[in-house]
């Protein structure tokens, strides 16, 4: 339950706006104007300056934060939490978790963005109810609960984000005025009032999460309590090859797949398909399932995640046969320009369906880039299959539809009878001769 009335001294809430001054705050980054007016902090956009942040002088670890915010209809903003500015990191640029304020049609207010670091951690692509909670051009009440590795957000009483991440445990709070590139936005304002924070007795004030809001976790090779309750299990324990074998072997490859510091890496060979240590597959088979993992590619790399695999179909040269979530450096690997209209690019259903941003049509594909960790998610239920890249949907299809059959008939898979319509199959990680790393591989059966 939100505390929306006068602050109670016995609850130990601390007001972060005191009087008509900005005492206790320091501006970092750009040169937007900040001032206090009628008890609210006002941020005003100015041209030709980077993102600006009015930051608290005090740092906070675990807390519950509440504030009201009013946003002009066209300017993006956000509130930084557990954020920092270090001289050794990008010349002091503000970085860390940001509770988004998004007045665009995308409507991801209340989502969590990792400013100047990893990008979107919790977009609202899978939470339409949360996306509809923010009212542009009106005052909105926002609540943020950052306790341990969990960060949950609500707007006007509707839960938006449910994140688990342990990268940063404390830092300042910052009010952002975004850089602008449109002269019509000069002078646009964001207003914050009734900013208050609680740092003790947090469990007594904690809000019960909405059970319909999906939790997204970035813990490495570890399941959260929520994931365990919802049937998730680790497909890889982060330390041994248990549960996996070579696609054309009885056991795990003796070399070529390296396990080190919680990361599973297929090592560089000659760039050929399964010409090195070979693909690896799970010993268990799956039909209706949800799979999630993180992957990181090197420059020019190629690999893939296959599902509904039949390892017995191809005992000769090349990779095992199955539907494939393509993993590729689109900019530097020649395969990106082959196939049909990009259907061999990252996130695509390889050689069949091109990955596009289906969560926000018209926006680019959400790839974090070479050398960064990316999250892949595959959902298969009752024949309906989805590919998600960094928590945004990029492919959807029905594997039993006539359209899918037609796509297969004009692809490299046409010679495999009933391709990807088999009742079940193992999960496969592909060796394509390039160095690619995986971690946090987990699955639940639906």
């Amino acid at each position: 339950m939100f505390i929306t009335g006068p602050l109670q001294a016995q609850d130990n809430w601390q007001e972060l706006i005191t009087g008509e001054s900005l005492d206790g705050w320091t501006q970092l980054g750009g040169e937007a104007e900040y001032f206090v007016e009628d008890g609210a902090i006002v941020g005003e956009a100015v041209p030709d300056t980077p993102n600006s942040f009015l930051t608290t002088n005090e740092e906070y670890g675990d807390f519950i934060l509440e504030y009201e915010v009013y946003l002009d209809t066209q300017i993006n903003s956000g509130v930084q939490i557990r954020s920092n500015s270090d001289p050794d990191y990008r010349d002091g640029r503000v970085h860390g978790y940001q509770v988004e304020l998004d007045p665009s049609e995308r409507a991801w207010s209340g989502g969590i963005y990792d400013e100047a670091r990893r990008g979107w951690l919790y977009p609202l692509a899978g939470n339409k109810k949360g996306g509809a909670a923010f009212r542009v051009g009106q005052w909105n009440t926002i609540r943020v609960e950052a306790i341990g590795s969990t960060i949950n957000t609500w707007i006007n009483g509707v839960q938006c984000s449910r994140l688990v991440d342990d990268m940063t445990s404390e830092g300042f709070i910052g009010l952002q005025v975004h850089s602008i590139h449109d002269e019509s936005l000069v002078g646009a304002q964001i207003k914050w009032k009734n900013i208050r924070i609680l740092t003790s007795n947090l469990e007594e004030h904690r809000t019960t999460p909405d059970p319909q809001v999906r939790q997204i976790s970035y813990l490495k090779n570890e399941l959260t309590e929520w994931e365990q309750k919802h049937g998730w299990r680790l497909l890889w324990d982060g330390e041994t090859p248990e549960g996996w074998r070579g696609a054309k072997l009885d056991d795990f490859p003796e070399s070529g797949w390296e396990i080190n510091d919680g990361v599973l890496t297929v090592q560089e060979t000659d760039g050929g398909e399964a010409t090195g240590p070979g693909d690896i597959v799970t010993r268990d088979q799956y039909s209706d399932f949800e799979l999630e993992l993180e992957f990181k590619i090197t420059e020019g790399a190629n690999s893939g995640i296959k599902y509904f695999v039949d390892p017995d179909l191809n005992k000769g040269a090349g990779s095992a046969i199955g539907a494939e979530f393509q993993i590729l450096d689109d900019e530097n690997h020649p395969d990106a320009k082959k196939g049909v209209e990009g259907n061999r690019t990252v996130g695509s259903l390889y050689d069949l369906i091109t990955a596009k941003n289906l969560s926000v049509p018209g926006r680019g594909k959400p790839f974090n880039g070479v050398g960064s960790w990316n999250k892949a998610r595959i959902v298969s239920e009752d024949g309906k299959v989805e590919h998600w890249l960094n928590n945004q949907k990029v492919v959807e299809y029905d594997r039993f539809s006539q359209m899918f059959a037609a796509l297969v008939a004009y692809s490299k898979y046409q010679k495999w009878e009933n391709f990807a319509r088999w009742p079940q199959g193992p999960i496969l990680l592909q060796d394509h001769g390039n160095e690619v790393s995986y971690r946090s591989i987990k699955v639940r059966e639906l």
Side-chain angles (χ1 to χ4, degrees):
M1 180 172 216
F2 292 170
I3 298 174
T4 54
L7 299 182
Q8 302 297 316
Q10 63 267 31
D11 287 331
N12 296 317
W13 286 86
Q14 175 190 356
E15 294 187 69
L16 297 185
I17 302 177
T18 55
E20 295 297 313
S21 76
L22 292 176
D23 291 346
W25 298 81
T26 298
Q27 185 168 345
L28 299 174
E31 298 178 359
E33 298 290 337
Y34 290 93
F35 53 91
V36 178
E37 182 178 80
D38 298 328
I41 294 178
V42 180
E44 188 168 281
V46 300
D48 305 319
T49 189
N51 291 349
S52 303
F53 303 90
L54 186 67
T55 65
T56 58
N57 295 339
E58 188 172 347
E59 295 191 345
Y60 301 92
D62 287 2
F63 60 83
I64 297 175
L65 174 71
E66 285 190 349
Y67 54 94
E68 294 177 62
V69 64
Y70 181 96
L71 190 65
D72 269 8
T73 57
Q74 296 181 346
I75 186 167
N76 178 282
S77 182
V79 170
Q80 298 294 134
I81 61 169
R82 290 180 174 174
S83 295
N84 292 277
S85 172
D86 303 318
D88 295 335
Y89 183 84
R90 302 181 67 172
D91 296 322
R93 182 170 174 178
V94 169
H95 59 280
Y97 307 111
Q98 180 186 125
V99 180
E100 176 80 359
L101 295 175
D102 178 12
S104 74
E105 292 183 2
R106 183 182 63 179
W108 283 358
S109 292
I112 299 176
Y113 183 82
D114 197 359
E115 174 75 16
R117 204 161 52 176
R118 293 170 293 171
W120 277 105
L121 298 178
Y122 201 112
L124 267 61
N127 185 1
K128 300 301 182 185
K129 180 182 176 181
F134 187 75
R135 299 189 292 264
V136 176
Q138 301 179 44
W139 284 100
N140 296 266
T141 300
I142 298 183
R143 181 178 177 97
V144 183
E145 298 184 3
I147 303 173
S149 59
T150 66
I151 302 175
N152 296 341
T153 69
W154 289 261
I155 294 182
N156 300 321
V158 178
Q159 185 159 14
C160 298
S161 295
R162 193 172 186 177
L163 175 71
V164 179
D165 185 76
D166 59 0
M167 178 169 280
T168 307
S169 60
E170 65 177 6
F172 53 66
I173 292 165
L175 312 180
Q176 184 199 55
V177 175
H178 205 283
S179 61
I180 57 173
H181 307 286
D182 185 337
E183 287 297 319
S184 69
L185 294 179
V186 174
Q189 293 184 343
I190 305 100
K191 301 178 182 180
W192 297 269
K193 68 180 182 180
N194 295 330
I195 308 175
R196 51 211 181 192
I197 194 166
L198 182 69
T199 58
S200 61
N201 300 320
L202 299 182
E203 290 300 328
E204 296 179 15
H205 294 83
R206 202 167 192 168
T207 308
T208 301
D210 183 341
Q212 295 183 336
V213 175
R214 175 174 173 261
Q215 185 187 84
I216 297 177
S217 172
Y218 290 83
L219 300 185
K220 302 173 187 64
N221 304 318
E222 180 183 344
L223 295 178
T224 67
E225 182 179 345
W226 182 92
E227 288 172 327
Q228 294 177 54
K229 287 182 177 179
H230 286 78
W232 287 91
R233 65 182 181 87
L234 290 176
L235 262 184
W236 179 56
D237 63 15
E239 298 177 352
T240 73
E242 183 178 354
W244 294 80
R245 65 175 178 86
K248 301 175 185 179
L249 301 171
D250 293 331
D251 298 311
F252 196 81
E254 293 183 1
S255 62
W257 284 88
E258 179 184 60
I259 297 173
N260 185 34
D261 195 25
V263 176
L264 175 64
T265 301
V266 58
Q267 297 177 322
E268 183 84 18
T269 52
D270 60 2
E273 185 179 285
T275 55
D279 305 336
I280 58 173
V281 296
T282 58
R283 293 187 180 275
D284 292 336
Q285 300 198 28
Y286 301 91
S287 179
D288 285 358
F289 65 91
E290 183 175 0
L291 172 75
E292 188 176 286
L293 57 77
E294 291 184 70
F295 68 90
K296 181 169 63 174
I297 64 174
T298 52
E299 184 173 347
N302 185 350
S303 183
I305 309 160
K306 295 189 180 184
Y307 50 100
F308 292 110
V309 174
D310 187 340
D312 295 327
L313 279 182
N314 181 23
K315 290 295 190 179
S319 184
I321 304 303
E324 180 178 353
F325 181 116
Q326 170 76 319
I327 292 176
L328 195 79
D329 179 356
D330 291 352
E331 296 297 322
N332 297 296
H333 195 285
D335 216 29
K337 297 178 175 60
K338 298 179 181 178
V340 179
E341 296 183 349
N343 65 5
R344 296 186 179 185
T345 58
V346 65
S348 297
L349 176 63
Y350 179 77
D351 209 46
L352 295 170
I353 300 176
T354 303
K356 297 179 181 179
N357 195 326
L358 303 179
S359 295
V360 191
R363 297 224 179 186
K365 189 164 53 178
F367 178 60
N368 290 340
V370 172
S372 296
W373 287 103
N374 291 268
K375 190 182 284 286
R377 178 175 171 233
I378 301 168
V379 183
S380 170
E381 187 171 17
D382 296 330
K384 308 297 193 297
V385 182
E386 299 173 351
H387 289 187
W388 292 69
L389 180 62
N390 293 315
N391 300 304
Q392 298 180 51
K393 189 192 295 184
V394 293
V395 165
E396 59 183 357
Y397 67 98
D398 184 338
R399 67 192 182 101
F400 296 119
S401 67
Q402 291 183 335
M403 179 61 72
F404 181 73
L407 290 170
V408 172
Y410 288 93
S411 75
K412 64 180 287 185
Y413 301 113
Q414 58 182 279
K415 65 181 179 179
W416 307 110
E417 185 179 354
N418 215 28
F419 171 79
R421 290 179 163 181
W422 306 307
Q424 60 183 5
I427 307 297
L428 177 149
L429 300 180
Q430 186 185 48
D431 162 31
H432 209 298
N434 305 125
E435 182 179 318
V436 178
S437 297
Y438 297 92
R439 71 182 184 190
S440 301
I441 309 170
K442 52 195 172 185
V443 71
R444 68 174 181 138
E445 297 185 69
L446 303 175

